[in-house]
Amino acid sequence: MSASGAVEPGPRGLPPPTEDEEQQPTEIESLCMNCYRNSITRLLLTKIPFFREIIVSSFSCELCGWSNTEIQSAGRIQDQGVRYSLSVRGPEDMNREVVKTDSATTRIPELDFEIPAFSQKGTLTTVEGLINCAISGLEQDQPTRRAKEEAIELKKMANPFTLMIDDPSGNNFVENPHAPWKDDALVITHNNRTLQQEEMLGLQTEAPEEKSEEEDLRNEVLQFDHKLPRMQCPCSDQHKVQIPHFKEVIVMATNCENCRHQTNEVKSGGEVAPLGTRITLHITDPSDMTRDLLKSETCSVEIPELEFELGMAVLSGNFTTLEGFLKDICKLVTKNPFTLGDSSNPGQSEKPQEFSQKLNQIIEGNMKAHFIMNNPAGNSYLQNVYAPEEDREMKMEQSTLKTYTPTK
């Protein structure tokens, strides 16, 4: 309801359904385009599970028997287009529900068959119904030999085959009977619309300003082949990220679907700073654990209260929270192979456990400590939660880089 108490209209002017009228269609008197006499059109606003709201429009003329059913999306055009690729393997796949908008293109690659966009009205049907509608259209409207041959091929088509529905408006839908779990037979891909697709949907009125190649790459995840030593799997991504009140960093991730190998690393995206930095944080509250932290490969870490020092290049580049970084240190110390096993001395195995207990006390807020990051390259970062104001618990010092002078 609005501030004045009036009921606001639903999508496309339809009144929002109440609890009693949720499944009741709206009836509108309209003209039959077959006999040109008045009949009834029924509109129903409904919600498809795991999808969105749609408007089902059904017209049936009691005088001449002509009927027509269409669907329209009740929401806006999505930010990205969507492509569904369904591997039809049996009768159960033929019964999947499908929402096909009028802007969608349907393909069956095995038959080199395509239904172009805007050649059919939007419909709510099944995979089998979609194919039967295509067969009826070929037999009725195109009496040429090629159309008859395509209709015969569609009728005789046996499983398995691939059904692809590409919709630049992003409002298509193919049912996943296993939802909310993943469907191995269904692949959903989201993509950016081309200029031609923007114009086709009536979204592009003026030519967009040309962007430089550097700006395009700044907002794009770069993918390239990276051969793993064991599985030889191509699976590596890179992306530039701007850290507020700091600089750009490059996030590198490897995630292989075949061997499940996963790694991630962060590199500084800028030049080496003219001055080195030493960041000292006085940990006094559990909320300090949520601070963002960037440790580059040239940064060393100290915790004086625990007499602990982590040298450069240990744990490589890492962009995480302070809590996540302290837990990584805990794993590194407690799983040291030289302090485990039967060959280790009793005193050696007790020290890592004692260190782990004290580190957990710092993480839980039961122990105050100082966390020091010393980076001669100046490319490490610890979040100032009061930015742009000064953080009373954090101190940042800068120092010149030490240069090597050879002796005579």
Side-chain angles (χ1 to χ4, degrees), residues 61-285:
C61 181
E62 298 178 354
L63 301 175
C64 67
W66 188 76
S67 62
N68 183 34
T69 302
E70 299 179 10
I71 67 105
Q72 294 181 359
S73 173
R76 62 180 179 86
I77 294 177
Q78 304 305 307
D79 295 333
Q80 290 183 312
V82 65
R83 179 184 295 114
Y84 287 87
S85 179
L86 174 64
S87 178
V88 181
R89 303 168 182 172
E92 62 278 1
D93 291 327
M94 298 292 286
N95 292 327
R96 291 177 185 246
E97 290 187 352
V98 175
V99 174
K100 177 187 173 298
T101 63
D102 51 1
S103 61
T105 301
T106 306
R107 298 185 184 91
I108 300 179
E110 288 81 358
L111 299 182
D112 195 19
F113 175 76
E114 178 178 319
I115 303 176
F118 297 104
S119 61
Q120 294 179 348
K121 294 292 185 181
T123 180
L124 172 59
T125 181
T126 62
V127 174
E128 182 179 6
L130 193 65
I131 294 175
N132 289 338
C133 182
I135 293 174
S136 300
L138 290 171
E139 290 179 339
Q140 180 179 357
D141 298 332
Q142 302 182 36
T144 61
R145 179 181 178 185
R146 177 170 176 78
K148 290 181 180 179
E149 289 177 352
E150 289 181 347
I152 293 173
E153 290 178 358
L154 283 173
K155 289 181 178 179
K156 293 183 178 181
M157 183 174 54
N159 301 329
F161 65 91
T162 304
L163 177 69
M164 301 179 65
I165 304 178
D166 192 355
D167 181 20
S169 72
N171 287 324
N172 253 35
F173 172 75
V174 176
E175 179 190 7
N176 174 8
H178 310 291
W181 292 279
K182 183 179 178 182
D183 188 351
D184 295 333
L186 183 63
V187 178
I188 305 174
T189 307
H190 296 274
N191 49 67
N192 295 325
R193 284 185 286 267
T194 63
L195 179 60
Q196 183 180 3
Q197 290 174 334
E198 294 271 359
E199 294 176 349
M200 181 180 67
L201 295 173
L203 300 177
Q204 190 69 39
T205 55
E206 298 180 357
E209 297 181 359
E210 295 184 0
K211 295 183 179 180
S212 64
E213 184 178 354
E214 181 179 355
E215 290 179 348
D216 291 338
L217 293 178
R218 192 180 301 275
N219 299 319
E220 183 180 355
V221 177
L222 302 179
Q223 297 182 346
F224 59 94
D225 291 344
H226 172 66
K227 301 296 184 181
L228 296 176
R230 292 175 293 176
M231 297 294 294
Q232 296 294 310
C233 310
C235 47
S236 189
D237 297 334
Q238 283 190 3
H239 183 52
K240 277 188 176 182
V241 178
Q242 177 69 40
I243 299 178
H245 306 286
F246 188 53
K247 58 178 69 175
E248 279 186 342
V249 297
I250 301 175
V251 180
M252 299 185 295
T254 300
N255 185 6
C256 182
E257 297 181 356
N258 298 325
C259 65
R260 303 299 180 184
H261 177 75
Q262 294 181 345
T263 61
N264 63 80
E265 190 174 353
V266 177
K267 297 281 188 181
S268 173
E271 60 183 5
V272 175
L275 297 175
T277 58
R278 179 182 176 89
I279 304 173
T280 303
L281 172 67
H282 187 202
I283 303 174
T284 58
D285 190 85

Side-chain angles (χ1 to χ4, degrees), residues 8 21 30 42 45 128 130 132 171 177 185 215 226 237 278 302 312 318 371 374 398 403:
E8 296 180 349
E21 300 176 346
S30 56
R42 295 173 176 84
L45 177 63
E128 182 179 6
L130 193 65
N132 289 338
N171 287 324
E215 290 179 348
H226 172 66
D237 297 334
R278 179 182 176 89
E302 300 176 31
M312 297 182 184
N318 202 346
F371 181 80
N374 190 7
Q398 292 185 329
T403 56

Side-chain angles (χ1 to χ4, degrees), residues 19-79:
E19 294 182 358
D20 298 333
E21 300 176 346
E22 186 172 359
Q23 298 299 328
Q24 298 298 323
T26 301
E27 296 185 351
I28 302 174
E29 185 176 356
S30 56
L31 182 68
C32 175
M33 301 306 296
N34 185 50
C35 66
Y36 301 102
R37 287 177 286 186
N38 288 342
S39 190
I40 299 297
T41 296
R42 295 173 176 84
L43 301 176
L44 177 65
L45 177 63
T46 185
K47 170 75 174 178
I48 296 179
F50 304 101
F51 186 50
R52 57 178 63 93
E53 291 179 332
I54 63 170
I55 299 174
V56 181
S57 171
S58 176
F59 177 84
S60 179
C61 181
E62 298 178 354
L63 301 175
C64 67
W66 188 76
S67 62
N68 183 34
T69 302
E70 299 179 10
I71 67 105
Q72 294 181 359
S73 173
R76 62 180 179 86
I77 294 177
Q78 304 305 307
D79 295 333

Side-chain angles (χ1 to χ4, degrees), residues 288 291 383-393:
D288 290 328
R291 294 176 184 252
Q383 182 186 12
N384 174 4
V385 294
Y386 302 100
E389 303 295 332
E390 183 180 356
D391 191 336
R392 294 171 296 179
E393 303 297 338

